[in-house]
Amino acid sequence: MKRIDFHIKERSSAIIVGELLKNVPSYIPKKKVFIITDSNIRRLYSESFPKGFVYEIKPGEASKVLAIVEDICLKLAEEGADRESFILGIGGGVVCDLTGLVASLFMRGVSHGFVSTTLLSQVDASVGGKTGVNAGGYKNSIGTFKLPEFVICDVTMLSTLPETEYISGFGELVKTAAIADRSMFYEITERKAAIMSRNIDLMEDLIYRSLLIKTSVVGRDFEEAGERRLLNFGHTFGHPIEVLNKTSHGMAVMQGMILAGQWSVKKGFLAEKHFFELKSLVESYGISPVKCLPDGFKQLVSGDKKKSGDSIYFVFLMEPGRAEYKKVPVKEMFEFLDSIEYENK
């Protein structure tokens, strides 16, 4: 078991990798507990839940909307929740995003924590204080920043993930290695068999190293005014792929990383041999590059949160383990996308 104590000014969050769901009561303050989870997690693990009212959502992005946030808040009020209550999210990225947003809005803010149950949420969604829901096809366009009191990453729960969901979470692990940890990038490349067998010791180590990077970056730039933008590598192109092709988040991000890598090569930032290392790594886990951009792709890209006027902050890969973000004209990005469409025809 490994622990990271994450501090932002007067706020703090404990991240415990390798702790178990059954031990979560010892981390919860002596307050009335309200649980948000999805039907799959409740079916598999409800016997290990702490005592408290349970609000169940349907799994998947369709639940990540304001209507669900409003309904949760109404149910909390009906069940007697107040500003002294504690909200616990037990689930993956959707549950964590919803729980964080509800906790930041209900009664203008209540304490909350997460038991992170998927690889995607353990390496990304549950950590860093971002909350959000989708609106009109735009990912996480409505949200806040609020740190959970704690995040428990129960690595044993990865054993019940469907393989596609497990690989999806792997996308964020690849992203973190690609932008900030060269040795992890090549370790992921070389240890595919152990990763796919869900070796607990290896996964605990990789998740912990990934979280050390993320908390370090977020600690220096909590509200994403600068360095935190690096964590969006692959996302500017990945989010539209996810929405329009109805692809899982991590798989879409990996496809987005390939596109971002291609642009990095065209801009002269990334050597072709390193691009092919990235592409080969992604393809080795069964993810194929996008051959044709879906209709509406440019519209969603132009609505990205990192857009600033006629320009956008885009993350380019320089080499495995190092990336940089640069402000580039949206027009130039569209010209790159047009060239990709032409080349792939």
Side-chain angles (χ1 to χ4, degrees):
M1 190 165 65
K2 299 178 175 68
R3 177 177 175 128
I4 301 171
D5 289 304
F6 179 40
H7 302 282
I8 300 289
K9 297 179 181 179
E10 73 281 2
R11 295 165 287 188
S12 63
S13 183
I15 304 165
I16 306 98
V17 182
E19 182 57 283
L20 303 176
L21 168 61
K22 68 179 182 180
N23 295 328
V24 71
S26 64
Y27 295 89
I28 299 175
K30 295 187 182 302
K31 298 179 178 182
K32 193 171 183 180
V33 178
F34 296 84
I35 297 168
I36 300 172
T37 191
D38 68 40
S39 56
N40 286 340
I41 294 299
R42 191 177 191 181
R43 173 175 53 83
L44 290 167
Y45 297 106
S46 61
E47 291 183 0
S48 299
F49 282 14
K51 292 181 180 180
F53 170 78
V54 178
Y55 185 99
E56 178 185 305
I57 66 168
K58 293 180 181 179
E61 289 285 316
S63 292
K64 217 170 93 168
V65 292
L66 273 177
I68 297 293
V69 173
E70 181 180 14
D71 193 59
I72 295 173
C73 289
L74 289 173
K75 287 292 191 297
L76 290 175
E78 290 172 4
E79 294 295 324
D82 56 32
R83 295 191 71 180
E84 298 303 314
S85 300
F86 190 88
I87 302 178
L88 178 67
I90 306 177
V94 171
V95 167
C96 292
D97 282 348
L98 276 173
T99 300
L101 186 56
V102 167
S104 70
L105 297 176
F106 184 72
M107 300 287 182
R108 294 195 175 96
V110 297
S111 298
H112 75 294
F114 299 137
V115 177
S116 183
T117 64
T118 68
L119 182 56
L120 178 63
S121 64
Q122 289 181 6
V123 298
D124 184 60
S126 66
V127 175
K130 280 186 178 181
T131 79
V133 293
N134 309 328
Y138 295 98
K139 286 277 295 179
N140 301 319
S141 56
I142 300 173
T144 60
F145 291 93
K146 190 178 191 300
L147 277 182
E149 300 293 312
F150 60 80
V151 178
I152 289 174
C153 298
D154 187 342
V155 183
T156 66
M157 298 176 86
L158 299 181
S159 65
T160 58
L161 278 180
E163 185 168 296
T164 54
E165 194 170 343
Y166 181 71
I167 293 174
S168 176
F170 185 71
E172 292 288 349
L173 201 60
V174 173
K175 176 209 72 179
T176 304
I179 65 170
D181 192 330
R182 185 185 182 94
S183 65
M184 186 161 70
F185 180 90
Y186 289 111
E187 184 172 357
I188 290 170
T189 301
E190 295 163 2
R191 302 195 65 184
K192 178 186 174 184
I195 289 170
M196 291 306 296
S197 70
R198 310 189 195 197
N199 179 284
I200 289 179
D201 291 336
L202 174 60
M203 294 313 298
E204 183 175 318
D205 180 62
L206 291 175
I207 291 166
Y208 174 71
R209 287 160 63 187
S210 180
L211 292 177
L212 281 178
I213 292 167
K214 180 163 186 178
T215 53
S216 177
V217 171
V218 173
R220 293 189 293 269
D221 180 24
F222 183 56
E223 296 186 350
E224 201 170 344
E227 183 184 2
R228 188 169 181 170
R229 295 186 179 112
L230 292 173
L231 299 176
N232 291 309
F233 177 57
H235 286 62
T236 298
F237 295 149
H239 279 162
I241 294 170
E242 177 183 358
V243 172
L244 297 171
N245 285 351
K246 294 181 172 51
T247 305
S248 67
H249 175 75
M251 292 181 180
V253 166
M254 284 192 273
Q255 291 175 318
M257 284 191 284
I258 292 176
L259 287 172
Q262 285 180 274
W263 197 12
S264 300
V265 171
K266 283 183 177 286
K267 294 278 285 183
F269 300 140
L270 180 67
E272 284 197 5
K273 69 173 184 177
H274 291 319
F275 167 70
F276 284 113
E277 286 176 339
L278 172 67
K279 184 171 178 285
S280 296
L281 170 56
V282 169
E283 289 180 329
S284 73
Y285 283 86
I287 309 301
S288 300
V290 171
K291 298 296 183 183
C292 181
L293 300 180
D295 292 339
F297 187 89
K298 289 182 182 178
Q299 180 183 348
L300 288 188
V301 167
S302 65
D304 190 279
K305 299 186 299 298
K306 295 171 290 301
K307 185 170 173 287
S308 176
D310 294 329
S311 298
I312 190 168
Y313 289 99
F314 193 88
V315 183
F316 293 97
L317 191 63
M318 303 295 157
E319 61 181 346
R322 185 168 69 90
E324 295 181 12
Y325 69 88
K326 298 179 183 294
K327 192 173 184 179
V328 295
V330 172
K331 180 181 177 182
E332 183 182 333
M333 180 172 63
F334 284 172
E335 289 171 351
F336 161 71
L337 293 173
D338 287 340
S339 72
I340 290 296
E341 287 276 80
Y342 177 78
E343 290 172 5
N344 289 340
K345 284 182 179 178

